Amino acid sequence: MAIEQIKDIQTVEFFKVLSHEIRMKIISLLHGNIEMSYTEILHALNLEEGNLNFHLRKMKGFVELTEKKNYRLSEYGKIAYGMLQEVDTRLWKDAKEIIKTDGVWTFSFQILMRRTIAALVDFTLFMFLGV
């Protein structure tokens, strides 16, 4: 997928694709394995065919078929993987901001949400304005 095509994908659509755990797993799986057959993905994620088909259709633009009919991440899929990694890194780094009160550990949800949104905005601006 060319950079010009990437710009055509709306930010909302980008986040819709990343909003489901199975699609995030597919992106991570393909990043780690470079390319995989349909059957390999199916078995690695322990999914039914209809379920995998549904998610692969939703991921149009994020995955592409090779000449051997294997799946791999497109350039846009690679950007999505990088974004997921960045959010994970910042999320768990910020999760250290835990407050201990009366011997009970509580999670500062507001801090976590604020930092997560900031990380998403930073990464999105960096990727789309930097591209």
Side-chain angles (χ1 to χ4, degrees):
M1 173 176 279
I3 297 298
E4 293 77 32
Q5 292 171 306
I6 291 173
K7 291 179 183 177
D8 291 338
I9 297 177
Q10 299 293 321
T11 303
V12 172
E13 294 302 316
F14 178 86
F15 287 110
K16 280 183 184 178
V17 169
L18 297 181
S19 69
H20 199 282
E21 182 180 6
I22 291 175
R23 293 190 286 267
M24 290 185 343
K25 285 181 180 180
I26 292 170
I27 288 171
S28 293
L29 192 62
L30 290 175
H31 179 268
N33 293 291
I34 309 303
E35 71 178 56
M36 297 177 74
S37 71
Y38 177 87
T39 305
E40 290 171 327
I41 297 170
L42 191 69
H43 292 298
L45 297 177
N46 196 27
L47 297 173
E48 294 181 13
E49 287 186 33
N51 201 2
L52 180 57
N53 289 334
F54 172 80
H55 289 291
L56 287 173
R57 278 193 309 272
K58 290 284 187 183
M59 296 177 71
K60 184 179 178 184
F62 286 77
V63 295
E64 59 190 19
L65 281 173
T66 66
E67 291 177 8
K68 296 178 184 179
K69 301 296 181 197
N70 288 331
Y71 289 89
R72 70 177 173 204
L73 290 180
S74 66
E75 289 303 313
Y76 205 55
K78 292 174 186 175
I79 291 170
Y81 177 80
M83 183 178 157
L84 289 171
Q85 291 304 108
E86 182 68 22
V87 169
D88 263 358
T89 300
R90 288 189 183 213
L91 181 68
W92 293 114
K93 176 183 162 224
D94 295 338
K96 292 178 184 174
E97 295 185 26
I98 296 174
I99 305 162
K100 186 176 182 182
T101 56
D102 298 327
V104 178
W105 293 95
T106 56
F107 199 66
S108 180
F109 185 72
Q110 287 180 333
I111 292 171
L112 179 62
M113 287 305 297
R114 190 172 55 233
R115 300 273 175 114
T116 301
I117 291 169
L120 288 171
V121 169
D122 289 348
F123 186 82
T124 302
L125 289 174
F126 174 76
M127 291 311 298
F128 289 104
L129 295 179
V131 173

